Amino acid sequence: MTTESTPRIAPLHPPYAPDIDAQLKKWMPPEATIEPLALFRTLAVHDELFARMRPLGAGILGHGRVPPRDREIVIHRTCARAGAEYEWGVHAVVQGPQVGLTTAQIDAAAVGPADDPAWTAADSVLVLMADELHDTGDISDEVWTRLAERYDMDQILELIIIAGWYRLLSTVITSARIEFEPWARRFPRRTP
C-alpha cells in the first residue's frame, strides 16, 4: 500500500515547455478544469517515453474492445493489488462511477475477495484474472476457460494488456512516491 511521502521524482510544474504543455493537454480530457495529474507530470520528466506511452493508455481507455465496466474492474483490482492507491483513487472517483461500478464494487476491488458479494459471477472472473496475473504472471486454465466463455481472444488479450499496463503504472506510482490527488479516494478499510 502506498504511503504518503515526498515524491522521489518531482513532477513538472508550470510553466511547461510548449511541447510538454501540448502533451499534457493530450493526456487530460478536453473538458478538464484541473491541473494535469501528478502521474502525467511525473511521466513528463522523460518527454520521449511520455509521448510514446500515451497512445497505449489512450487506446485502453478510449478505443478498447472490452466493455468499459469490465476494463475498470481489471484496472481497479490491478492497482489495488499492486498497492497503487493513487491510481485506484483516481479511477474510483472518475472512471468507475462513469461506467456504472457501485461504491461497494469499487471498495471490493480494493479490499474484497474475488467472490465478494458485490460481484456477479462474470465480474468475479475478472477479479480472479487480475489476482492471478498479480500473483503469478499467468492465468490458470480454469480462469482462462471462464474468460473464453465470455470474451473473444482479442478481448482476452486486451484484458491481459490492461492488467499489464496498469501494473506498469502502479510500479511507477509506488516507486516514484507520486503524491495523491487531493480529490481522489483513498483505499477503504478492510472490514473484519
Side-chain angles (χ1 to χ4, degrees):
M1 181 181 290
T2 306
T3 58
E4 291 191 58
S5 63
T6 303
R8 289 177 169 167
I9 300 173
L12 299 182
H13 291 281
Y16 306 113
D19 58 326
I20 295 297
D21 188 51
Q23 282 293 324
L24 287 168
K25 286 178 180 166
K26 287 180 184 179
W27 280 74
M28 293 295 289
E31 69 281 356
T33 58
I34 59 172
E35 180 74 16
L37 298 181
L39 170 61
F40 303 158
R41 293 182 292 114
T42 301
L43 294 173
V45 167
H46 192 309
D47 57 337
E48 188 174 326
L49 281 178
F50 183 55
R52 291 174 187 237
M53 291 174 77
R54 186 187 163 280
L56 180 56
I60 287 171
L61 290 179
H63 307 286
R65 297 177 183 178
V66 171
R69 184 179 177 282
D70 298 0
R71 174 199 73 217
E72 285 302 313
I73 291 170
V74 172
I75 291 171
H76 281 76
R77 186 61 165 207
T78 299
C79 293
R81 287 298 310 275
E85 188 174 16
Y86 170 96
E87 190 71 5
W88 177 90
V90 168
H91 279 259
V93 170
V94 181
Q95 289 89 350
Q98 285 176 349
V99 300
L101 290 179
T102 66
T103 300
Q105 291 166 333
I106 292 168
D107 289 354
V111 297
D115 63 353
D116 191 285
W119 301 123
T120 66
D123 295 339
S124 71
V125 73
L126 295 169
V127 176
L128 283 169
M129 182 203 77
D131 286 351
E132 288 185 355
L133 287 170
H134 177 82
D135 293 340
T136 69
D138 195 3
I139 299 172
S140 68
D141 290 341
E142 176 188 344
V143 171
W144 188 275
T145 298
R146 290 178 62 192
L147 289 167
E149 290 169 357
R150 184 169 174 204
Y151 300 102
D152 293 331
M153 288 300 116
D154 62 329
Q155 292 176 306
I156 294 173
L157 179 61
E158 185 175 323
L159 288 166
I160 295 165
I161 290 170
I162 290 167
W165 174 251
Y166 279 87
R167 178 58 191 225
L168 166 71
L169 291 178
S170 295
T171 301
V172 172
I173 289 162
T174 57
S175 299
R177 306 284 193 268
I178 295 177
E179 291 181 299
F180 293 101
E181 300 296 340
W183 48 266
R185 279 200 55 201
R186 302 299 294 265
F187 282 147
R189 293 177 189 229
R190 260 185 224 277
T191 54

